[in-house]
Amino acid sequence: MTTDELFRAIHEHHGDGEWGAVLDAGTGAHSLTWVSALPARSWKAVTADPAQAAALRKAFCAAGGHGAVESGSWEDPELLSGEVFDVVLADYLLGAMDHCSPYFQDQIFTRLRPCVGGVLYVVGLEPFGRFPDSPGRELLAQIVAARDAAFTIAGERPYREYPKEWVERQLLGAGYEIELSQTFKNVYRDEFVRTQLNVAAAQLQYVPSSALRMALHSHLEGLGERAASNPELQDGVRWGTDYVIAARVRP
Ligand SMILES: C[S@@+](CC[C@H](N)C(=O)[O-])C[C@H]1O[C@@H](n2cnc3c(N)ncnc32)[C@H](O)[C@@H]1O
């Protein structure tokens, strides 16, 4: 994956100016590692998952530090009401929204607008193409499909990614102007495969039918074996893109 390249692109766009107050609007260990290390005056991070909020507080909020983690959903109009940030980061927030707050994706940039005093950075994953055109890409498509199927059969909603063009349309419609729109090629290695298969396997305990549970378990194992012997994956499968969009509220 190219995540560090994405943060580098944000740094480059931001330049040498002050970072001021920074909001990580869809936080996790990876983005908060970056945000909490910025030379910012203060930072705040939001997650919809209370358990994740507790873990991130433990890891990142030292006593007397300049950062805080909030647990809540952007669907709640009171969340961070009246708070304005110089930089707002929406790092893979959109793709996770179908899981946490379905049908609110079309509202998120309007909802964040009062918090955006300077720049909003949106980081996202372009949805995979429908027709993978190499054995490595085909295998990745099957792994991602099995992961999403495990979530669905377990009664959870999987993530749903949105294309860069969709995000740009939403931003323009929500009163932003776009300053930067950049794509970055993705490379998937066995670590990605392991994580996806583990995430899928963790859902199996919630699958109500034992026959289906066993079938899914052996399907996931089979995919793991195929991945271990796939030469393309050993090198890294190049497939699809991530994007970074920088936007400001139109004056
Ligand atoms: C894929 S994770 C983000 C990854 C994170 N930036 C990182 O680098 O680890 C998505 C985050 O967005 C949060 N999220 C999704 N929908 C949300 C909503 N409606 N309100 C607040 N947070 C939300 C999730 O709880 C999670 O913390």
Side-chain angles (χ1 to χ4, degrees), residues 6 34 75 83 92 98 106 142 145 160 167 176 185 228-229 240 249-250:
L6 308 183
W34 181 72
E75 290 170 302
E83 295 192 41
Y92 302 110
D98 223 42
D106 65 327
Q142 287 189 24
R160 182 180 191 199
V167 175
Y176 294 81
K185 290 202 170 108
S229 60
V249 176
R250 263 198 307 273

Side-chain angles (χ1 to χ4, degrees), residues 26 48 91-102 105 157-162:
D91 178 65
Y92 302 110
L93 165 65
L94 193 59
M97 287 185 72
D98 223 42
H99 181 69
C100 307
S101 50
Q105 292 93 329
R157 299 179 67 93
Y159 283 14
R160 182 180 191 199
E161 308 298 341
Y162 286 79

Side-chain angles (χ1 to χ4, degrees), residues 31 62 90 112 119 121 136 155 158 195 202 209 212 217 223 236 240 244:
S31 56
L112 289 177
V119 187
Y121 290 104
T195 306
S209 147
L212 202 46
H217 176 74
L223 288 170
V244 173

Side-chain angles (χ1 to χ4, degrees), residues 3 7 18 47 53 62-63 65 87-88 90 96 112 125 132 151 158 188-189 194 197 207 223 226 237:
T3 317
F7 288 144
E18 299 285 318
T47 172
V87 173
V88 175
L112 289 177
L125 169 68
F151 270 85
Y188 295 95
R189 301 181 199 283
R194 262 201 312 278
L197 293 176
V207 171
L223 288 170
R226 282 175 59 195
V237 176

Side-chain angles (χ1 to χ4, degrees), residues 6 9-14 87-90 109 116 118-124 164 167-168 171-172 176-182 184 243-249:
L6 308 183
I10 293 176
H11 258 289
E12 212 166 279
H13 177 267
H14 184 81
V87 173
V88 175
L89 173 69
F109 300 122
V116 180
V119 187
L120 166 67
Y121 290 104
V122 182
V123 175
K164 179 161 78 69
V167 175
E168 289 170 356
L171 286 167
L172 294 174
Y176 294 81
E177 56 194 19
I178 294 170
E179 290 187 345
L180 171 83
S181 178
Q182 221 174 324
F184 301 83
Y243 52 84
V244 173
I245 301 172
R248 272 180 204 274
V249 176

